[in-house]
Amino acid sequence: MIIFPYFVMNKKTLTRVAMAAAIALTLAGCSKERAHITGSITEAKDSMLYLENMSLDGPVAIDSVRLTDNGTFDLLALPPNGGPEFYRLRINGRIINLSVDSTETLTVTASYPLMASGYTVEGSQNCQTIRELALKQQDLQQRLIAIQGNIDLNPRMAQDSILRCIEAYKTDVKMNYIYKEPMKASSYFALFQTLGNLLIFNPRENKEDIKAFAAVATSWDTYYPDAVRGKNLHNIAIEGMKDIRITEQQNGMEIDASKVNVTNVIDINLPDNHGQSRRLTSLKGKVVLLDFHVFATKDSPARIMKMRELYNKYHAQGLEIYQVSFDPDEHFWKQQTEALPWICVRDAQLTESPLFMQYNLQGLPTFFLMDRENVLHKRDAQIKDIDAEIRSLL
């Protein structure tokens, strides 16, 4: 089971009826190619098969067909729009979750009424991974039901067992799916898996869950910069941080301000080469080149020379450099940064740093550009002319 929340979107949203009508008009007048979702669902003669778009405001019917003896179908998805889209095939309460990246063709084979667990899908690795996650979630739900029905466990023991199962599930999904490939549609899907009507990953109440949302949001900024879903992930993470801050303040707890971020960037608070704590979000109002670096590499001198040129050229106009080092030798790092005019900090956790997951650092060095509002603009892979990009933000 999966839901797509809308609690951080604009309050004045369209009703589902109006949305369906608007989508129908869009499809009627749109000449873009669309993805085909085809295949067969047997044992469902005369049943209506619906293809529903899992929009941010809830499921919206896109296409449908009444199945015949052989159960074959060929349905059309929406035109691609900036990033992966999510759909489900539904007969009554049985569903198959899918994602579509472009104008691909997906082939789904299943048999009713076991279609939710017994289907196969070809044409998309993302959809195959989503199937794995759906089956894992179904297995988790069955185990929790078994715990609740175990008469040998008192309520306290049952509750502890349930919480341990859920936490183990979350750790598995985070490490083997979300943090491993945060740019994937399947990682986005994983964030919104549910048990009943409750999100397994709860960004309203759990700091670690917020990190998972933030990691996927940051990755989607790079791979799908125009996707509304990526922006929604940022909003969810930000709102979750605010909620936790309010809850902890109400409980009389003092929280570390460095862990709370009310901008569209994951904050960093690390000691610089003079021992002073430096927060990334304190640079709001400046254009920031956020650089993740290792000085103990042969290419470091040339990179530092280029950064000096940029700093000398644009610092007076409002450019700042916030450079995070992952060098294992702290003394060496301090020597290398002693004469540098920008902010130089070091993460002593090295490759175990959560920044690798939060910023989707798949290699070093890597840099990002942030605008004056502390919003991530682009990362190095998206930038062809660094001077032009900096000037456009100043």
Side-chain angles (χ1 to χ4, degrees):
M1 183 180 296
I2 183 169
I3 60 174
F4 287 77
Y6 51 90
F7 49 77
V8 296
M9 302 302 289
N10 292 332
K11 293 182 179 179
K12 296 180 179 179
T13 55
L14 296 170
T15 65
R16 292 186 184 179
V17 173
M19 288 175 59
I23 290 173
L25 288 173
T26 301
L27 295 181
C30 186
S31 60
K32 288 185 180 179
E33 293 185 5
R34 292 183 274 153
H36 280 251
I37 300 175
T38 186
S40 66
I41 299 179
T42 59
E43 308 300 326
K45 180 182 178 182
D46 294 329
S47 296
M48 287 298 299
L49 173 65
Y50 294 93
L51 175 65
E52 296 174 330
N53 174 228
M54 299 305 296
S55 78
L56 291 172
D57 293 277
V60 180
I62 300 300
D63 204 351
S64 63
V65 64
R66 187 174 294 278
L67 299 176
T68 59
D69 285 337
N70 58 15
T72 58
F73 62 89
D74 190 346
L75 304 172
L76 289 173
L78 294 171
N81 185 27
E85 238 345 301
F86 296 86
Y87 297 88
R88 70 182 187 185
L89 293 172
R90 180 177 64 84
I91 300 178
N92 298 321
R94 273 75 171 185
I95 63 173
I96 294 173
N97 290 297
L98 303 167
S99 72
V100 173
D101 290 333
S102 58
T103 57
E104 61 199 343
T105 296
L106 305 181
T107 303
V108 179
T109 304
S111 179
Y112 189 80
L114 301 177
M115 55 185 279
S117 59
Y119 73 94
T120 62
V121 58
E122 298 178 358
S124 168
Q125 182 58 52
N126 265 314
C127 287
Q128 294 178 14
T129 306
I130 286 173
R131 179 179 181 275
E132 289 179 22
L133 288 164
L135 293 177
K136 281 178 173 286
Q137 184 271 338
Q138 292 170 27
D139 177 68
L140 172 64
Q141 191 160 306
Q142 291 302 314
R143 285 188 285 123
L144 298 186
I145 291 172
I147 292 172
Q148 290 176 323
N150 189 339
I151 61 175
D152 294 328
L153 299 177
N154 63 42
R156 176 66 177 274
M157 295 168 62
Q159 181 69 8
D160 288 346
S161 296
I162 287 172
L163 292 176
R164 284 197 298 271
C165 282
I166 293 174
E167 195 57 39
Y169 179 87
K170 289 168 66 173
T171 299
D172 173 31
V173 171
K174 281 192 292 188
M175 301 311 298
N176 294 314
Y177 295 89
I178 295 175
Y179 290 150
K180 185 177 181 180
E181 295 182 307
M183 76 295 295
K184 296 292 188 180
S186 52
S187 295
Y188 183 103
F189 173 89
L191 291 176
F192 297 108
Q193 286 188 297
T194 62
L195 291 170
N197 292 321
L198 299 177
L199 285 168
I200 295 175
F201 292 94
N202 186 354
R204 288 286 196 181
E205 300 177 0
N206 188 301
K207 290 181 180 180
E208 294 303 314
D209 292 354
I210 292 173
K211 291 179 182 179
F213 275 82
V216 177
T218 302
S219 185
W220 275 49
D221 282 345
T222 300
Y223 289 88
Y224 313 110
D226 299 323
V228 175
R229 291 185 184 276
K231 296 177 176 63
N232 188 55
L233 287 176
H234 272 300
N235 290 338
I236 292 172
I238 292 165
E239 290 299 315
M241 292 174 187
K242 291 179 181 177
D243 287 344
I244 287 176
R245 178 181 60 185
I246 291 170
T247 299
E248 291 181 335
Q249 287 175 340
Q250 289 175 341
N251 291 337
M253 297 173 62
E254 180 179 354
I255 60 174
D256 183 353
S258 69
K259 302 300 183 183
V260 178
N261 171 31
V262 293
T263 69
N264 282 340
V265 66
I266 308 304
D267 201 6
I268 303 173
N269 186 16
L270 291 169
D272 66 12
N273 47 358
H274 303 291
Q276 179 182 352
S277 292
R278 306 298 294 268
R279 291 186 62 188
L280 176 61
T281 51
S282 70
L283 300 177
K284 187 174 182 178
K286 297 181 180 292
V287 173
V288 179
L289 192 159
L290 171 60
D291 186 59
F292 296 96
H293 192 77
V294 177
F295 284 87
T297 62
K298 65 177 183 179
D299 297 325
S300 175
R303 184 179 178 84
I304 296 301
M305 286 290 291
K306 177 61 179 175
M307 293 180 68
R308 276 186 176 275
E309 293 176 10
L310 294 172
Y311 188 87
N312 292 339
K313 190 183 299 184
Y314 299 115
H315 178 65
Q317 301 175 47
L319 175 71
E320 186 56 83
I321 296 176
Y322 187 101
Q323 188 168 51
V324 183
S325 165
F326 294 100
D327 283 272
D329 189 331
E330 182 179 7
H331 179 69
F332 172 80
W333 164 70
K334 286 184 176 181
Q335 286 182 321
Q336 296 298 308
T337 59
E338 185 176 5
L340 297 182
W342 53 78
I343 298 171
C344 299
V345 301
R346 175 177 173 270
D347 194 329
Q349 297 182 74
L350 305 178
T351 56
E352 298 300 317
S353 168
L355 294 177
F356 277 85
M357 296 182 289
Q358 293 168 352
Y359 278 87
N360 187 29
L361 303 182
Q362 299 181 350
L364 295 174
T366 296
F367 73 82
F368 296 79
L369 277 181
M370 295 165 45
D371 67 19
R372 294 182 185 271
E373 295 300 317
N374 263 173
V375 177
L376 286 174
H377 175 63
K378 290 182 180 179
R379 73 185 302 161
D380 49 5
Q382 298 173 288
I383 297 174
K384 295 181 180 180
D385 186 337
I386 182 64
D387 284 83
E389 293 289 349
I390 291 175
R391 288 196 297 269
S392 71
L393 298 175
L394 288 172

